[in-house]
Amino acid sequence: MNGLQGTMIAVLLSLVSAAGYALAAVAQSRLASSSDGGRGALRALLARGQWWWAVGLNAAGALAHVVALHYGPLTLVQPLGALTLVAALPLGAYYARRRVTRAEWRGALWTLAGLVGLISVTGPATPGDALSLREAVVVAAVTALLIAALASGGRRHGGPGSRTQGGATRGRGTGRGLREGRGPGRGRGLGHATASGIASGVGSALTQTLTAALARELPGGPTAWWQTTLIAVLISAFAVGGLLLSQTAYRGGLAAPLAVVNLSNPAAAAIIGVALLGETFRAGVWGWLVAAAASMVAARGVVLLTTGAGALPVPPAPSPVVASGQPLPSPRRDEAAATPAPTPAPVAG
């Protein structure tokens, strides 16, 4: 197989991976819009066939991405994976029976440009570079605390009495926030999306450590069986946690949480690489400047996606009824009955 054939296979598999991730995100978003998020929500979710369909799509997308990396370079496969957001927008709008707004398209393009710019200056790890066992445990513990803080912050802002459905927040909040879908559910969704992306990025770094441990190339020498098992358990925990966090994030909509997940994932992996593995951005100082500019471009895209997402109209509140089943009189009628009739002026003589 020549280089051109390998590149074509890598591109095709990357597109399949992006489509799989996009379909999974849409399926998770539809599940989130039909869930009240109360007690027993996880049990009900696991009993839904649509949930396992989304899990299978995520697994297929990940498998296609890994195989694509075997045939093509990272600089080609990773940017194509960012097409997940572009594919998810029309799919989500189709199932919601609405059109993609111009603000959503602009936000998707801004986010895509920032994500591609960030990936383009992120160099792959040197073969054999991996976290030591001690570093892996410390990173896992710090990440768990960070995820817990993000999740608890989302509950505090969202509140147990609020419910988000298709970008429209119901329950607590003001009238304008309800109509425009900018209530507390937005902040909760983005917080959970950030936690989901961080969990996935750390899971990728731990997977690299597990691969080095199995090949007996881990820094510090070979590991015992229980140490390798511990790393595998941590990877499984972050993978499942990231999936459940993304499911919760989609209660605040689809586009903005998906964009945040796609951004926080490589950002977390890049931070680990720079801080612990001695990696750096390509092109030296210029690479750092490009990474900073790309981050600001992507942040602009997320803001556009957050404020430009279509929201469902809030139905009018039903008329209150008394115990007899008859509707209460309107306030205007009450005021008319309570207002005394004007006293006629006395007639002279």
Side-chain angles (χ1 to χ4, degrees):
M1 181 182 297
N2 55 36
L4 179 60
Q5 291 176 339
T7 300
M8 293 178 62
I9 293 176
V11 170
L12 180 60
L13 289 174
S14 298
L15 295 178
V16 171
S17 175
Y21 281 132
L23 287 171
V26 172
Q28 289 183 261
S29 177
R30 297 184 67 192
L31 282 171
S33 65
S34 62
S35 174
D36 57 1
R39 293 182 179 180
L42 179 59
R43 183 181 302 176
L45 187 67
L46 296 178
R48 299 281 298 272
Q50 190 177 358
W51 161 254
W52 294 107
W53 173 251
V55 172
L57 286 171
N58 275 310
L63 179 61
H65 179 76
V66 171
V67 179
L69 288 173
H70 175 73
Y71 288 99
L74 182 70
T75 53
L76 173 67
V77 175
Q78 285 292 90
L80 288 176
L83 293 176
T84 299
L85 178 61
V86 179
L89 273 180
L91 287 173
Y94 172 78
Y95 284 110
R97 297 181 179 180
R98 67 174 182 87
R99 294 182 178 180
V100 181
T101 64
R102 292 183 178 180
E104 286 177 311
W105 279 125
R106 289 198 302 269
L109 293 178
W110 277 77
T111 306
L112 183 63
L115 185 57
V116 171
L118 184 63
I119 293 175
S120 65
V121 295
T122 303
T126 304
D129 283 354
L131 298 174
S132 65
L133 179 64
R134 181 178 180 180
E135 290 173 338
V137 173
V138 171
V139 167
V142 173
T143 303
L145 293 176
L146 179 59
I147 290 175
L150 289 170
S152 62
R155 287 195 299 268
R156 184 165 56 249
H157 291 296
S162 65
R163 177 179 176 181
T164 308
Q165 185 172 2
T169 305
R170 296 191 176 108
R172 300 174 185 174
T174 60
R176 184 174 182 180
L178 293 172
R179 288 191 299 270
E180 298 181 358
R182 300 177 188 176
R186 289 284 182 184
R188 177 177 57 180
L190 296 184
H192 286 162
T194 304
S196 174
I198 292 174
S200 300
V202 172
S204 299
L206 294 179
T207 301
Q208 189 178 14
T209 299
L210 178 62
T211 303
L214 293 176
R216 297 184 177 275
E217 297 176 354
L218 196 66
T223 58
W225 67 267
W226 65 269
Q227 295 173 326
T228 305
T229 304
L230 175 62
I231 298 175
V233 170
L234 291 175
I235 294 172
S236 301
F238 281 115
V240 174
L243 188 61
L244 294 177
L245 284 167
S246 65
Q247 177 65 44
T248 306
Y250 290 136
R251 293 177 188 166
L254 172 64
L258 182 60
V260 172
V261 169
N262 286 335
L263 285 171
S264 55
N265 186 333
I271 291 174
I272 292 175
V274 171
L276 298 177
L277 298 180
E279 299 176 11
T280 184
F281 291 109
R282 296 173 182 173
V285 177
W286 287 106
W288 285 91
L289 294 177
V290 170
S295 300
M296 291 187 289
V297 169
R300 169 64 175 169
V302 172
V303 171
L304 288 174
L305 289 172
T306 305
T307 58
L312 295 176
V314 180
S319 301
V321 295
V322 294
S324 61
Q326 298 296 327
L328 292 175
S330 63
R332 184 174 299 175
R333 188 181 303 173
D334 292 344
E335 294 174 1
T339 304
T343 305
V347 181

